[in-house]
Amino acid sequence: MGKAMKIAIVDDEKDMRQSISQWLALSGYDTETFASAEEALGTLGADYPGIVISDIKMPGMDGIQLLRKLMGSDSALPVIMITGHGDVPMAVEAMRIGAFDFLEKPFNPDRMSDLAKKATNARRLTLDNRALRRELGDGSQMMRKLIGSSPAMERLREDILDLGQADGHVLIDGETGTGKTLVAHALHAVGSRAGKKFVLISCAAMDQDTLIQRLFGPMLPEDNRLPAVEEARGGTLVLEDIEALSDAAQARLLTMINDQGTPPETRIVAICNLQDEGRTCEDALRPDLYYRLAALKITAPPLRNRGEDILTLFTALADQFADEYGCEAPQVSAQEAAQLLQAPWPGNVRQLINLAERAVLQSRRGTGTIASLLMSDHDEMQPVMTTEGKPLKEYVEAFERMLIDNTMRRHRGSIASVMDELCLPRRTLNEKMAKYGLQRSDYL
């Protein structure tokens, strides 16, 4: 069921409150009880992480008044009303105001559990969607996901900030697994359309007739949604695998772009995945459409060109998977750090994510090495090395930075503990931290 949802129980009768609470607690819910509507309102508000079960008839503020207040602060909060026998008109009124459902006394506990399950599932979906919308609209949060301090990543972030403020359509290209969709999310989040719709369509995920219908309509009644170009109106429409568009779809898209005028009402961000195949997006699209979409262009850099970002990313990902699997993250040796930096990474960040997860699982079992995982990824490349060799000094410095960073994080900025573990005098540690741009305040 995931993280247990809360259930707020509002009833002036103590025995009723306790029996409902005990029954739902047995079903795995986190319950809290309130003896009056007034008391409940102090806790219940927008984004309450659960649902409400309330009696209708209570002294002071009754359940209907409570329901009105709750609907006023969060109309998507599921509220289940408990009604007495014969209170059908009140139940009907509650449903009209926005109650999720009602239970008539004496009620069947299993019926209550079923309703609670439906209501909490609906609530979880609402809260997840809100969190996603906030994330998509939070430029700083999206930019933080673009981890790395290499010149290539600094340039990428600058491009996103610059182009995010512009109105023109954008073409994003780059190798497989470089995070092009994340770049599209960030572009939307840092621009003036951040609070507007963000609609993502994969042009390769459906046949062309279905794609044209999904993009431009007409939609069938059972689809229960607008065509993508209508749904994204005023916001951002992201078209992944733009190279998969048929001639007919390209013609429709070009007409839609021309009809919008300048600046466009809806911004189109096209993502091209052709770089690995030796062809370009320009080869795949009709020239007039290509030049409209590529008015502004961003290329996501390959991982092999991002230097020490590889170690930074691996450490962050390994920590994340270690938390997920409830174990310690693997310790990276100097030799393994050099191997990570030397690997060609044809699958880029996506490949690194997979490798970090496998390294954590391997470490949990107490077997294998990061080198063996790299070799299994690149059987045809032995030894695992790019054609561009790097001076030993660069590898040593990258490893040293990662080691100090990891140790500072583990000891939460305790200089004494880090000095002790790494056998470094304070002055040497301070000099190295300054050299690698590490600040103690980041770990507290």
Side-chain angles (χ1 to χ4, degrees), residues 271-333:
I271 296 176
C272 180
N273 285 304
L274 276 178
Q275 206 172 77
D276 306 350
E277 300 171 24
R279 293 170 65 222
T280 65
C281 201
E282 193 170 354
D283 299 327
L285 298 178
R286 50 188 287 171
D288 43 5
L289 178 62
Y290 173 77
Y291 289 116
R292 296 304 298 270
L293 293 176
L296 304 168
K297 190 176 174 189
I298 291 181
T299 299
L303 188 58
R304 63 182 172 277
N305 292 351
R306 291 177 53 186
E308 287 177 40
D309 286 357
I310 295 167
L311 296 183
T312 307
L313 274 165
F314 180 82
T315 302
L317 290 163
D319 285 347
Q320 188 180 313
F321 284 121
D323 279 347
E324 244 175 71
Y325 290 112
C327 61
E328 291 292 313
Q331 295 299 305
V332 181
S333 69

Side-chain angles (χ1 to χ4, degrees), residues 13 19 32 52 60 73 113 164 186 251 287 328 337 342-343 348 357 393 443:
E13 294 179 34
S19 63
E32 52 185 339
V52 180
S73 62
S113 295
E328 291 292 313
Q342 287 175 304
N348 293 292
E357 183 171 17
K393 182 170 177 285
Y443 303 95

